[in-house]
Amino acid sequence: MSEENRSQKSNPLLNSTLMQVERAAARMGLDPGMLKLLQEPKRCLTVSIPIRRDNGTLDIFQGFRVQHNVARGPAKGGIRFHQDATLEEVIALSALMTWKCAVVNIPYGGAKGAIVCNPKELSLAELERLTRRYTMEISLIIGPEKDIPAPDVNTNPQVMAWIMDTYSMQLGYSVPAVVTGKPIELGGSLGRNEATGRGCVYTIEEAAARTGLDLKQATVAVQGFGNAGSVAATYLEDLGCRVIAVSDSRGGILNENGLNLTAVKEFKTRTGTVAGYPEATPLTQEELLSLACDILVPAALENQITAANAGDIRAKIIAEAANGPISADADETLYEKGILVIPDILANAGGVVVSYFEWVQGIQHFFWSQDEVNNQLRQRMVSSFRDVYELAGREHVSLRTAAYMIALERVEKAVSLRGIFV
Ligand code: NAD
């Protein structure tokens, strides 16, 4: 996409993603025509989703499914339910999936989906009707060999089970491989729920080993105590780190001596939030991000560290468990400050790696032990981190630019080998 086209995008995540790709492409001397092709989503589907509310009224929601690039395999990516979701955001997230699958070298392209809704305002029955009708609408383009959804923000194994059931009904037999992140009872993989947080911690261990950071002495702050963030925090605690601050959408908490995460999780289960946890002091999101700590894990939403606050960041390592938490301009500031940023397309790839394992197990009807899943995940994350770290060192670029260079090269190669049908 040209500079002119890019400047027309109003979504900051899309602008940042396009800019990161341009940066890596310039470094590689990628053909401008190929760059244009790789910046454009292949297919964008917008659907309207009518549902009957519990009170009898009819309501219409909007949904999207975007397939960014499928040169290396079926499209793969999560579905989020969020009131602020837009088509441009979903395009950006689908592109991140293309690059993520390529950087960890799994045979998928990128996709993403969303329903514009606030799930907290819907009953369980309404959520089920919304999910099933959305599935009907996107059934045109999803399928185990075409495009395989997974959980993302505000979606979970139950939502995947409804998608699998609705899709299967249309074919007349069960098609578990149409989604990943399913309940174990329906063909889900052991270890999938924890995979994003676990994979993120594997990359942190590698980064710490290379920068001489002793994890047993390290302090950690985690923004977003959801699936990715709470699991990453727990594994870091297991490794001996002191997790001093965590937050969720309702606020943050700080205890310089280290939070007891088991107690924090119990508190959150009881009250729905970490805010107000008694053994800590309250903290704003801004304060959490700028804490003096060794490791910062943004695990909430995009655009949390921008040009406005990048100068305040004091962490030594940032591991992006969330997608796009750092804007492209903030990235430069952090690089100049010598902060090691493990980019999202690498740091949070554990989720899609174990989704791939789930898909493979489902197709073969042969299921692995938890140890096997974790060992394979570790191998994949460690070797991908090593490739990115070594290229960054050779080329004197950030880990993000190096990760994009590896991903772009793999996708470009697949596109070129298949040939462009013009
Ligand atoms: P989740 O819904 O389980 O958790 C999100 C958490 O962030 C919640 O605790 C929420 O309260 C909190 N949050 C929301 N807005 C916040 C704010 N402004 N400040 C602080 N906290 C806030 O979602 P998740 O699955 O953990 O996803 C989190 C991020 O990780 C997203 O960017 C998602 O795309 C990314 N991700 C998730 C997976 C996965 O497998 N779950 C895989 C790859 C990437």
Side-chain angles (χ1 to χ4, degrees), residues 340-363:
L340 189 70
V341 175
I342 313 173
D344 46 9
I345 59 171
L346 175 62
N348 71 33
V352 75
V353 167
V354 177
S355 273
Y356 166 58
F357 297 161
E358 177 178 333
W359 183 72
V360 168
Q361 293 171 74
I363 286 169

Side-chain angles (χ1 to χ4, degrees), residues 16 108 182 238 258 284 315 324 340 349:
S16 267
Y108 284 141
K182 295 179 289 293
D238 289 349
T284 65
L340 189 70

Side-chain angles (χ1 to χ4, degrees), residues 198-199 201-203 205-206 239 353-354 357 371-385:
R198 191 181 269 277
V201 172
Y202 291 154
T203 65
E205 282 184 278
E206 293 302 302
L239 291 173
V353 167
V354 177
F357 297 161
D371 279 353
E372 186 160 7
V373 171
N374 292 343
N375 289 339
Q376 293 267 359
L377 172 63
R378 183 187 276 278
Q379 271 178 35
R380 188 74 64 154
M381 298 304 294
V382 167
S383 65
S384 304
F385 183 94

Side-chain angles (χ1 to χ4, degrees), residues 237 241-245 254-261 279:
E237 188 185 50
C241 297
R242 193 153 39 101
V243 180
I244 58 171
L254 168 71
N255 183 334
E256 293 284 0
N257 297 321
L259 294 158
N260 174 345
L261 293 184
E279 307 291 314

Side-chain angles (χ1 to χ4, degrees), residues 156-193:
N156 57 25
Q158 175 61 75
V159 173
M160 296 306 113
W162 292 328
I163 295 176
M164 189 275 252
D165 186 66
T166 311
Y167 182 86
S168 298
M169 269 187 226
Q170 298 170 69
L171 275 81
Y173 58 92
S174 288
V175 189
V178 68
V179 285
T180 59
K182 295 179 289 293
I184 302 292
E185 296 81 353
L186 296 178
S189 175
L190 294 170
R192 171 61 186 90
N193 250 347

